[in-house]
Structure formats: C-alpha cells, structure tokens
Amino acid sequence: MGAPNVKFVAIGALVVGVVGLGVTVAQLSGEPTLSGAELRALGYRGYDVPRPIAAFELVDGDGGTFDQGRLSGRWSLVFFGYANCPDICPVTLSVLAEAERLVGEGGFQTVLVSVDPERDTPELLDSYVGTFSPRFVAATGPPHSVQQFAGSLGAAFRKAPSAGSELAYLVDHTGFIAVVDPEARLAGYIRSPFEAVSIARVVRALDPA
C-alpha cells in the first residue's frame, strides 16, 4: 500500500489557507437562529424528522470498532471518500478542517468513510485524515459493510477504470456531507460547493449550545 499522494494533500492544505484568511472563531460568535431558507442558502437540506441509520459495524483508524455508539452524543459530519482521490476528497477535507477550527474543539466530529476498502487499510486512512486534522476519524471495513452503511445515508460509489493512470481504478462516489445528529440519526445533508464558514454556521445553528 502506498501513502496518499502528497500532491493532493498539498492542494487541500492550500485551500485551508485561502479559505481561512481573515476568518476567526469570533466572527461566528452569537450566530442567530437560522431559518430553513437561510440554512438552505448555506447548502444544508434537513429532514423534518431525522431518519434512523441501520445498524453497522466498521473499523476505525486504530483498528477499533466504529458503530452507532461512535456517532452518539455529538453532531457528526460524514463524508465518503478515499485516500487516492485526486480532487474532491482532499479539498473537502481541507474545508472541513477549517470549519472545525472555526467552530472550536468539540463542536462536531468529522468522519471519512472509505469507498475504497480494498486499498484503504485502517492505518493508511488514519495517516491520511491526520494530515488534515488530528481529530478527524477514519472508518473502513469489508466492502459489503461499507456499501450497507453508505446506503443507509443515501450515498453510493462504484469503481471506475483509470486509463493512463498509475492506479488501476478510481472510485466515483457521492459528494455530499451527511449530517448525523447526537442520537445517531441522519438529520440532513450539506451540498457542494463547500465553504468552511457556511459549514460552521450550519453546525452552530443546529447545535447552538
């Protein structure tokens, strides 16, 4: 297994720097309650009643169990991607890292679930997400387990041939961020294009405490 392409990690780091210029946590303090229309303008689409997530069991970056219990007690932003992803994954994780900084420690947890479980070992994923934030969580597992979990969140993925690339295949995958509430239920989605300030405002509105 090779390490994630440093070039793509660098792209993500660059985005963090650009997005974060001039923005501080203080700018988001005192965020007023946002209406449904205002949340939609920020890219969030929520369900009137959060939807239950089917029972699942994956493996985290340390080799431990990742299940419903790991989604309980706090808001979680779940993104489906993979370590060899050339574009959307490093950019999205960079934006999420900046949103995490804006909201502050403990505001929400970011979870990357691998859509390439055949190549993404727990160790590789842990190293990959750690380049964006030491607090990010990585999860993988047998392909059927990942497929089942993805389906319960409305996500999908499939292998795509990669002609002329070092990789035998890439993975086409859903590009939204699933928002999971503290009761481990699917509350809604954040649609692209992603902006750190918008994500931070959504989280603050959903969890004003």
Side-chain angles (χ1 to χ4, degrees):
M1 298 291 179
N5 193 316
V6 175
K7 173 178 66 176
F8 302 133
V9 174
I11 292 174
L14 177 60
V15 172
V16 169
V18 173
V19 173
L21 287 176
V23 179
T24 67
V25 176
Q27 289 177 278
L28 294 172
S29 63
E31 180 72 62
T33 300
L34 300 178
S35 67
E38 289 171 320
L39 286 169
R40 286 191 294 274
L42 294 173
Y44 178 69
R45 301 292 187 274
Y47 294 114
D48 292 335
V49 178
R51 300 186 175 187
I53 298 173
F56 67 92
E57 185 172 314
L58 300 175
V59 180
D60 68 15
D62 294 323
T65 299
F66 184 86
D67 56 14
Q68 276 96 337
R70 298 288 295 278
L71 295 176
S72 299
R74 63 191 302 188
W75 287 87
S76 299
L77 302 186
V78 182
F79 182 72
F80 292 87
Y82 63 113
N84 283 303
C85 179
D87 38 46
I88 187 173
C89 300
V91 170
T92 300
L93 292 173
S94 295
V95 173
L96 283 168
E98 179 65 8
E100 178 186 77
R101 186 186 72 80
L102 292 172
V103 172
E105 186 174 351
F108 66 90
Q109 72 171 341
T110 294
V111 182
L112 173 69
V113 179
S114 174
V115 296
D116 189 12
E118 295 176 26
R119 293 185 297 204
D120 286 348
T121 64
E123 297 80 9
L124 176 63
L125 276 180
D126 190 56
S127 175
Y128 179 64
V129 300
T131 63
F132 299 95
S133 169
R135 290 183 290 276
F136 279 10
V137 177
T140 185
H144 70 276
S145 297
V146 176
Q147 285 276 9
Q148 184 179 42
F149 180 58
S152 70
L153 294 183
F157 59 92
R158 65 178 179 83
K159 289 182 180 179
S162 180
S165 168
E166 297 178 354
L167 303 173
Y169 64 88
L170 297 175
V171 184
D172 292 334
H173 58 92
T174 303
F176 59 68
I177 296 169
V179 180
V180 178
D181 72 11
E183 283 72 50
R185 302 173 301 178
L186 178 61
Y189 303 93
I190 299 175
R191 304 286 184 178
S192 63
F194 303 123
E195 296 182 357
V197 172
S198 295
I199 292 173
R201 292 187 66 196
V202 168
V203 172
R204 286 285 182 87
L206 295 175
D207 185 21

